[in-house]
Amino acid sequence: MDKRSKDAWEGWSIVGAVAIALTLVVTMEAMMAGGPVEGVRGIIRATARSSFTLFSLAFTASAACYFWPNTWTRWQLRNRRYLGVSFALSHFVHLLALFALGRIAPAELAAGTNAITWIFGGLAYVFIGLMTATSFDSTARLISPRAWSLLHTVGSYYIWLIFANSYLARAVSSPAYIPAGALVIFTLGLRIAARVSRSRARLSPASLRPNR
């Protein structure tokens, strides 16, 4: 693979590729569906899957590279910011699809949601918006490094919690969601394991031994 091919999958090129893919998915779902409601349902399902995939890649980037340093995980860590922005793009398309369902089939949307869903889900979108807004060097400098770290740490775990609530609840009643539920648990377990391992490494006798 030449340098040009590698650069095509780095940085903002990833966001552009995801935007094109989302456009194709939305178009195909709309064209192949039996009607508007079925088309919007298909978009909601597709963007839920793409959002979870992109979030998982960003969420586990550091931990995956820590445990399995290789070409793929180094790429994942190097492009974590752009995977996060791509996740935000996918999930805002998901939100637009939910609003579209609310316009054309309000009773169906109301049956599957409640006030708690909108409150907690809305807070997740607040985090997504703030995290995306501070994913640029110029805007990140507007807040302190500690505030940035706190925002992105709390925000990422809260978004994980929303996905966990969604997929684990479905996995209980539908075996088709068991792989997604297992992946949700795995992503958190990997992050925790990496944090514990790093802490132990810092506190190990070798790391505390004075230099001679």
Side-chain angles (χ1 to χ4, degrees), residues 50-164:
S50 62
S51 294
F52 178 55
T53 300
L54 291 164
F55 171 78
S56 297
L57 288 172
F59 188 64
T60 61
S62 179
C65 192
Y66 176 77
F67 284 118
W68 307 293
N70 54 48
T71 301
W72 165 258
T73 57
R74 291 189 184 97
W75 174 90
Q76 187 182 349
L77 179 60
R78 191 167 61 249
N79 291 285
R80 176 172 53 181
R81 172 194 302 191
Y82 309 102
L83 291 168
V85 173
S86 298
F87 154 68
L89 177 61
S90 174
H91 219 46
F92 274 105
V93 174
H94 181 75
L95 180 62
L96 291 176
L98 288 173
F99 285 151
L101 183 63
R103 286 184 63 86
I104 63 177
E108 181 173 333
L109 181 63
T113 59
N114 53 44
I116 295 177
T117 302
W118 286 108
I119 292 170
F120 285 95
L123 181 56
Y125 275 101
V126 170
F127 274 120
I128 293 170
L130 292 173
M131 292 166 70
T132 304
T134 54
S135 291
F136 306 89
D137 292 338
S138 57
T139 52
R141 286 193 292 267
L142 297 176
I143 59 177
S144 68
R146 183 172 183 178
W148 186 94
S149 178
L150 182 63
L151 169 63
H152 284 255
T153 300
V154 173
S156 62
Y157 279 106
Y158 184 83
I159 295 166
W160 176 89
L161 186 63
I162 296 299
F163 277 119

